[in-house]
Amino acid sequence: MVRISNGRSKTTGDGAARARGPRADRRFRARQRDILRAAAAVFREKGFEAAGMRDIALAAGLSAANLYYYYGSKDELLFSCQDLALDRLLGAARAAGKAAGPVAERLRQVIDVQLRCMLEELEGGAAHLAVDALPAPLRARVVRKRDRYERALRALVREGVRAGEFAPCDPTLVTRAMLGALNWTAQWYRAGGPTPLDALCAGFADYLVRGLRP
Amino acid sequence: MVRISNGRSKTTGDGAARARGPRADRRFRARQRDILRAAAAVFREKGFEAAGMRDIALAAGLSAANLYYYYGSKDELLFSCQDLALDRLLGAARAAGKAAGPVAERLRQVIDVQLRCMLEELEGGAAHLAVDALPAPLRARVVRKRDRYERALRALVREGVRAGEFAPCDPTLVTRAMLGALNWTAQWYRAGGPTPLDALCAGFADYLVRGLRP
DNA sequence: AGTCGATTCGAACCATGGTTCGAATCTCGA
DNA sequence: TCGAGATTCGAACCATGGTTCGAATCGACT
């Protein structure tokens, strides 16, 4: 569809403005979170473009119209998914940056977290690979955060090289290769398939870190 | 849009049925090829969903309506792109399978070819990562061919392991990781950017093959 | 019970964009 | 030069799907 709508898409649902007591407020936020979860699942299942608001509404257990009480637009829904997922990834990456121990081990940890965030059923945190679907202003914000994550990962690689733990290489290129391998899993990995998630994490961490050894 | 159209999308343009002399026939096919090239470029530039028939028509230098004289539908256009690109990749992979010499070197060669096929300006062979955009029957054909490519690559990895040239590993997982890293480049690499294509090919081949060493 | 606002939904609304129509134009063999 | 068919295009057509409308329902407080 790619509706331009000549103005910017609404950034908040109608319900966000309401004055609410603490009980009702908690309910509102909880509902919002549930909807986000459902949306993430549908996005992951069918892809952003193919996922319809009616699908999301069905998955979340309310009407399509009602959805707009909680989120201003489909774009906002996707943006919130991506933003939330990136926050979790960024948290893991920063923790790994500060942690002690061999870089290889910390890198394995980040790989593990990213795969689980993206592929675990409970949370569909893989939406962040649909960046191009967002309108420019929202996209810019996601890209900025995504770049922070990439930089954190790159810093880790660079640290390993400096310490002599990894072979000399172009950290930018290598980081992109790693991220590509990880991101692409969202295209083919399905829970309940032949490969258990643990095996995937282990296999990927082995291969991707091994390529850095001197 | 995802038009279901309750029947299957047309698989040939109106012009395909016409009886033509040899001169006109050559013109027809040439035009078809040019359109395919233009379409591939637009798909690569904007993505399949975002690319409009009017965009493609503009890029190819004819009207949107006229496009349907050469290709039956947008789906057929995408399918043809993917099919053609996969033929080239498959050719390279099979050549590498039969060739002599160390497996590592042959693997590097395949990596090189895939990156160039996907990213070179002249041909937008990266469309094959939009498989999910196709209707089921066409998608099945593309997937079958894509799987052949993946199997060829996997066989190469397995051969290296058997020969002791590579470390023992799960070839399926490793192949998927490699393909992910390669495919994802279509998301971020742009000609004229900071990284020359040669550097990308070399860096990726280094890293991805290095991870296989014992 | 009664009221006000928060919440919900079925039924439109309407821009988008793939596709079709019908007529104009061009090409080539006779 | 002429006519039949190949090629081209502007102008609709119309299904899709994000979004809005207006009214009905629910919940909490007096």
Side-chain angles (χ1 to χ4, degrees):
Chain A
M1 269 257 147
V2 188
R3 193 172 303 263
I4 298 298
S5 78
N6 87 11
R8 48 214 80 263
S9 50
K10 285 177 55 178
T11 47
T12 44
D14 289 2
R18 295 281 183 285
R20 249 178 298 261
R23 177 196 291 314
D25 193 57
R26 182 157 43 247
R27 246 222 293 277
F28 181 80
R29 284 188 212 280
R31 197 82 208 267
Q32 228 176 3
R33 206 197 50 227
D34 289 345
I35 291 172
L36 199 62
R37 254 203 251 282
V42 177
F43 285 151
R44 164 129 175 66
E45 170 76 16
K46 319 179 80 162
F48 177 73
E49 300 283 357
M53 290 301 265
R54 290 162 180 87
D55 298 326
I56 298 172
L58 187 66
L62 39 57
S63 72
N66 198 9
L67 224 46
Y68 286 82
Y69 186 73
Y70 293 93
Y71 289 93
S73 65
K74 192 184 177 186
D75 288 333
E76 191 202 342
L77 216 33
L78 179 62
F79 171 79
S80 296
C81 280
Q82 301 187 340
D83 201 56
L84 191 64
L86 281 174
D87 279 340
R88 280 188 295 165
L89 294 187
L90 209 42
R94 282 178 170 151
K98 291 201 226 308
V103 182
E105 197 46 49
R106 287 184 276 154
L107 200 50
R108 291 181 63 97
Q109 187 62 25
V110 175
I111 290 171
D112 197 83
V113 170
Q114 174 164 359
L115 287 176
R116 289 182 195 281
C117 274
M118 285 175 58
L119 305 176
E120 240 156 22
E121 271 308 282
L122 187 51
E123 309 268 355
H128 73 102
L129 48 70
V131 193
D132 292 327
L134 285 176
L138 288 180
R139 177 171 54 229
R141 290 171 57 188
V142 172
V143 165
R144 211 172 316 136
K145 194 170 280 193
R146 191 198 52 182
D147 285 351
R148 275 207 290 277
Y149 179 62
E150 183 177 334
R151 269 199 298 275
L153 234 169
R154 189 164 55 222
L156 219 48
V157 171
R158 194 173 278 129
E159 182 187 340
V161 173
R162 283 245 173 76
E165 193 178 333
F166 296 157
C169 63
D170 180 340
T172 302
L173 234 46
V174 169
T175 303
R176 290 254 165 89
M178 294 182 51
L179 282 173
L182 297 177
N183 288 336
W184 195 256
T185 56
Q187 295 284 321
W188 59 268
Y189 186 86
R190 289 295 174 268
T195 312
L197 187 50
D198 290 333
L200 177 74
C201 290
F204 265 50
D206 282 346
Y207 172 61
L208 294 176
V209 171
R210 201 191 286 258
L212 290 165
R213 295 177 319 173
Chain B
M1 268 261 144
V2 188
R3 192 172 304 261
I4 299 296
S5 78
N6 87 11
R8 47 215 82 265
S9 52
K10 284 176 57 178
T11 47
T12 45
D14 289 2
R18 294 283 183 283
R20 250 177 298 261
R23 177 194 291 312
D25 193 58
R26 182 156 44 245
R27 247 221 294 275
F28 181 80
R29 285 187 213 280
R31 198 83 208 267
Q32 230 176 2
R33 205 197 51 226
D34 289 346
I35 291 172
L36 200 61
R37 255 202 251 280
V42 178
F43 285 149
R44 165 129 173 67
E45 171 76 15
K46 319 179 81 163
F48 177 72
E49 299 285 355
M53 290 301 266
R54 289 163 180 86
D55 299 326
I56 297 172
L58 187 66
L62 39 58
S63 73
N66 198 9
L67 223 46
Y68 286 83
Y69 186 74
Y70 293 95
Y71 288 93
S73 66
K74 192 183 177 187
D75 287 334
E76 191 202 341
L77 216 33
L78 179 62
F79 171 78
S80 297
C81 281
Q82 301 187 339
D83 201 56
L84 191 65
L86 281 173
D87 279 340
R88 279 188 296 167
L89 294 187
L90 210 41
R94 283 179 170 151
K98 293 202 225 307
V103 181
E105 197 45 51
R106 287 184 276 156
L107 201 50
R108 291 180 63 96
Q109 186 63 24
V110 175
I111 291 170
D112 196 82
V113 170
Q114 174 163 358
L115 286 177
R116 289 182 195 281
C117 274
M118 285 175 59
L119 305 176
E120 240 155 22
E121 271 308 280
L122 186 51
E123 310 268 354
H128 73 99
L129 48 69
V131 193
D132 292 328
L134 284 176
L138 289 180
R139 177 172 53 231
R141 290 171 57 188
V142 172
V143 165
R144 212 173 315 138
K145 193 170 280 193
R146 189 198 54 183
D147 285 350
R148 276 206 290 277
Y149 179 63
E150 183 177 333
R151 271 197 297 276
L153 233 169
R154 189 164 55 221
L156 218 48
V157 171
R158 194 171 277 129
E159 182 187 340
V161 173
R162 284 244 172 79
E165 193 177 333
F166 296 157
C169 64
D170 180 341
T172 301
L173 233 47
V174 169
T175 303
R176 290 254 166 88
M178 293 182 52
L179 282 173
L182 298 177
N183 288 337
W184 196 256
T185 56
Q187 295 284 320
W188 58 268
Y189 186 86
R190 289 293 174 269
T195 313
L197 188 49
D198 290 332
L200 177 73
C201 290
F204 265 51
D206 281 346
Y207 172 61
L208 294 177
V209 172
R210 200 191 284 258
L212 291 165
R213 295 175 317 172

